[in-house]
């Protein structure tokens, strides 16, 4: 009887712990959930056109073609995490500043770039992205949704939120006959990627290594084969399969769309 009771108690405890984790955590039943609110600061770079935000350390290139537009931000090293923060979405609101827009509206931005440290300036006076500071250097149009631009820097509250994307993930190919480099864009859910694998129509799954930003590479001869991808989220560990993304006559420089995505 004691053994049965102990077993029942353990199962009950496990169920309670799981429920608590699910409620307080960021990943529930296949869907990414918002994180708790935290505090940081935000600045902006570029002008109203957002031309200076194109490209960036994540490798997304033209952000309009990539599906991100001008609601973007460069992350300090603490958030960028060697590129694993690329594609993550953050809800940001201006707080405790006379420069906040009326009603303190919030905006959601996608991480598309790195705000590098500036060790020549004090972390509290110009070196805003110096570790261990948590900082957002936003595209100017996104910043202006929060505050008057002449403020320069504002205190903000932020949280991770699900990335709501239209359609499936996009895979942009670069490389040559023996090296495939893939930039992954328009990622939903947590928005980020931990690992990838590629499968040719005549191969098994081939693990891809992280190159930089949101790009992954495979040193294999895959020309003449249709390609599928296995993508695992950095934050949630969830894996999505994108089957037959590229036809057998795929080419470097092309972007291929899938119907698969995270939620």
């Amino acid at each position: 009887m004691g053994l049965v009771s102990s077993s029942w108690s353990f199962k009950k405890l496990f169920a309670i712990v799981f429920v608590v984790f699910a409620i307080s955590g960021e990943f529930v039943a296949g869907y990414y959930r918002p994180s708790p609110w935290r505090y940081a600061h935000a600045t902006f770079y570029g002008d109203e056109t957002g031309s200076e935000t194109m490209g960036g350390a994540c490798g997304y290139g033209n952000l309009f073609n990539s599906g991100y537009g001008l609601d973007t931000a460069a992350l300090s090293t603490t958030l960028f995490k060697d590129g694993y923060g690329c594609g993550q979405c953050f809800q940001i609101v201006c707080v405790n500043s006379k420069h906040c827009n009326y009603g303190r509206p919030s905006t959601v931005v996608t991480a598309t770039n790195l705000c590098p440290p500036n060790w020549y300036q004090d972390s509290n006076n110009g070196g805003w992205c110096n570790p261990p500071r948590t900082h957002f250097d936003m595209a100017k149009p996104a910043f202006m949704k929060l505050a008057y631009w002449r403020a320069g820097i504002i205190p903000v509250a932020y949280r991770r939120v699900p990335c709501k994307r239209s359609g499936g993930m996009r895979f942009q190919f670069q490389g040559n006959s023996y090296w495939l480099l893939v930039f992954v864009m328009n990622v939903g859910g947590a928005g980020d990627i931990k690992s990838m694998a590629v499968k040719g129509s005549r191969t098994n799954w081939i693990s891809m290594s992280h190159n930089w930003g949101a790009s992954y590479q495979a040193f294999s001869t895959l020309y003449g084969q249709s390609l599928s991808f296995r993508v695992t989220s950095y934050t949630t560990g969830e894996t999505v399969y994108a089957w037959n993304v590229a036809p057998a006559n795929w080419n470097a420089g092309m972007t291929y769309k899938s119907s698969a995505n995270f939620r």
Side-chain angles (χ1 to χ4, degrees), residues 127-173:
W128 309 123
C129 291
N130 294 348
R133 288 183 65 99
T134 300
H135 191 86
F136 298 89
D137 198 19
M138 304 173 67
K140 189 175 182 180
F143 183 91
M144 292 172 65
K145 292 180 179 180
L146 302 180
Y148 183 46
W149 67 271
R150 287 192 181 276
I153 181 170
I154 55 172
V156 297
Y158 76 96
R159 64 176 180 170
R160 288 273 308 278
V161 293
C163 296
K164 298 179 180 179
R165 305 297 182 207
S166 177
M169 290 180 283
R170 303 173 189 173
F171 300 82
Q172 183 188 82
F173 289 11

Side-chain angles (χ1 to χ4, degrees), residues 25 61 65 69 71 78 117 129 131 139-140 167 170 176 210 216 223 231 233-234 242 245 255-256:
N65 294 340
D71 291 322
T78 303
C129 291
K140 189 175 182 180
R170 303 173 189 173
N176 50 46
H210 185 216
Y216 288 78
Y223 270 139
V231 184
S233 167
Y234 179 81
V245 171
T255 298
Y256 297 93

Side-chain angles (χ1 to χ4, degrees), residues 106-119:
S106 68
T107 191
V108 175
V109 297
T110 300
T112 59
N113 203 355
L114 167 68
C115 181
N118 184 352
W119 299 116

